Amino acid sequence: MKKIQLEILGLSSSQSQSGSFALILGEKTGNRRLPIIIGMFEAQSIAIQIEKINPNRPLTHDLFKSFAEHVHVAVLEVLISDLKEGVFYSKIVCTDGATTFELDARPSDAIAIGLRFGVPIYTVESVLSEAGIILSDLDENADDDTDEDDEDEDDDTTGSPKPEPTPRDPSGQVSLDELTKMLAQALEKEDYEKAAKIRDELNKRNG
């Protein structure tokens, strides 16, 4: 099983789910992005570690690290191992010096813990193929759309800017070409949550 290393690119608040956040992971040696919706507590725990903030009292993930160190267990890596019915599954790979073992965990918890141990985050090709968003092709489509918009503006004799079209929610009434344009617009605005929904709709249509 070939593992693909990921890096954290950012956190953004969810626009559709109150109290949730989108954790954006990126392929370290590629151009695919993997957005995962996580809870507020996990987002806070991840953000605190990224910003190197020391809370007054230890969070749950800090407690896990302290406990592991006291029983001489080290974390080796985090692996986002599977995606079933839109739910991500992950493992925390640990060792006690003699044995290597895996703990099942939610990706948000696994990543929050992995950050505290400074270990790499991985996924597998099947997960990235199904849930990843490829930027390069979509950027080209976005550029094409921009060029077309520029031409339309040149033909506009009034000189007033045209309002930007509002992307519709993905549904069976939207063509594949329009869905692709909507996906490019969502990525350009870094609205990864909307991009993930459009990606899922495209996967259903193609598959």
Side-chain angles (χ1 to χ4, degrees):
M1 178 180 63
K2 181 182 178 182
K3 295 184 295 186
I4 301 169
Q5 188 168 358
L6 303 172
E7 58 184 342
I8 296 176
L9 299 181
L11 270 171
S12 61
S13 59
S14 172
Q15 297 181 4
S16 66
Q17 299 182 35
S18 177
S20 296
F21 290 78
L23 173 64
I24 313 304
L25 302 172
E27 191 177 15
K28 197 159 189 178
T29 57
N31 56 3
R32 289 179 289 185
R33 302 291 182 264
L34 188 66
I36 301 177
I37 303 302
I38 65 175
M40 181 183 296
F41 172 78
E42 292 79 11
Q44 179 189 45
S45 183
I46 290 171
I48 283 175
Q49 191 62 29
I50 291 175
E51 298 297 330
K52 305 299 182 184
I53 299 173
N54 293 320
N56 293 331
R57 304 187 68 185
L59 302 178
T60 303
H61 302 112
D62 300 313
L63 179 61
F64 178 96
K65 182 175 186 289
S66 297
F67 177 80
E69 290 175 342
H70 275 81
V71 296
H72 306 293
V73 169
V75 172
L76 300 177
E77 64 184 50
V78 168
L79 175 66
I80 301 174
S81 55
D82 206 354
L83 175 63
K84 298 178 182 177
E85 299 180 356
V87 178
F88 291 93
Y89 294 81
S90 66
K91 301 178 184 296
I92 304 173
V93 182
C94 307
T95 182
D96 60 3
T99 305
T100 299
F101 55 95
E102 298 176 345
L103 302 175
D104 289 330
R106 296 180 302 174
S108 55
D109 289 325
I111 290 170
I113 289 171
L115 283 173
R116 282 158 172 77
F117 282 89
V119 300
I121 304 167
Y122 295 101
T123 190
V124 293
E125 181 59 39
S126 60
V127 172
L128 264 183
S129 296
E130 183 174 352
I133 298 173
I134 303 174
L135 295 185
S136 58
D137 295 338
L138 293 170
D139 286 343
E140 292 175 2
N141 289 334
D143 291 341
D144 293 340
D145 294 341
T146 302
D147 292 341
E148 292 175 2
D149 292 342
D150 290 343
E151 293 174 1
D152 292 341
E153 289 178 6
D154 290 341
D155 294 336
D156 187 356
T157 56
T158 64
S160 60
K162 294 183 178 181
E164 182 179 354
T166 302
R168 289 177 284 171
D169 289 333
S171 69
Q173 303 302 316
V174 181
S175 68
L176 287 175
D177 288 342
E178 190 170 353
L179 278 175
T180 302
K181 291 179 181 179
M182 289 167 60
L183 183 53
Q185 290 175 1
L187 288 170
E188 186 177 0
K189 295 178 180 178
E190 297 184 354
D191 187 351
Y192 290 102
E193 183 187 2
K194 186 175 186 68
K197 292 180 179 179
I198 299 172
R199 173 208 63 206
D200 292 342
E201 178 66 21
L202 283 170
N203 287 341
K204 289 179 183 177
R205 300 276 192 95
N206 293 328

